[in-house]
Amino acid sequence: MIGVIDTDGECAEWAFPAEPGAVRTARHAVRGTLSSWGLDSVGDVTVLLVSELVTNSLRYASGPIGVRLVRRNPAGGSAAGSPALLVEVSDPLPDPPLARVAHPDDEGGRGLHLVAVSAQRWGTRHGKSGKTVWFELALPGE
């Protein structure tokens, strides 16, 4: 996996080819995993944000696109902090994505804005062979 770091918690990860069907396949994989973890409450927002980030990777990268989910601290109450879902989307391009302001008639340019307003934290990091865009969602009720 591109740019993966070790993280405690339940984990699922995939690598998708940079092909048109990657977005649909990623959405399906993420939704299925969240459902199996009992996290349907964050399913829609997670799938939306993964779709946006995989679409960005697909638009600019020619190599594999990695998607990783980590369910952090599912029992809650530990020193590690509140329960959260960490989501990472990686690709082989070294350049970080650029946020831009989309005009009302623009058909694109809203992906990073959606991530920024939906996630409790987000960011990018460089790996040995590319970059990772990550976001974290709070898991209510755990």
Side-chain angles (χ1 to χ4, degrees), residues 67-78:
V67 176
R68 183 173 186 235
L69 305 178
V70 178
R71 184 180 184 184
R72 291 182 168 174
N73 193 20
S78 82

Side-chain angles (χ1 to χ4, degrees), residues 17-19 55-65 90-93 131:
E19 298 174 353
T55 297
N56 284 348
S57 290
L58 185 60
R59 182 172 290 135
Y60 301 108
S62 59
I65 300 166
S90 304
D91 65 50
L93 288 176
K131 69 167 170 315

Side-chain angles (χ1 to χ4, degrees), residues 1 8 31 36 39 46 59 66 77 81 94 102-103 108 113 121 127 129-130:
M1 178 69 64
D8 290 333
R31 188 168 302 278
S36 73
L39 298 178
T46 304
R59 182 172 290 135
H103 299 288
H113 178 72
R121 296 184 321 137
S129 60

Side-chain angles (χ1 to χ4, degrees), residues 37-60:
W37 288 349
L39 298 178
D40 293 316
S41 64
V42 295
D44 289 342
V45 69
T46 304
V47 167
L48 172 66
L49 300 181
V50 166
S51 293
E52 292 293 335
L53 295 177
V54 171
T55 297
N56 284 348
S57 290
L58 185 60
R59 182 172 290 135
Y60 301 108

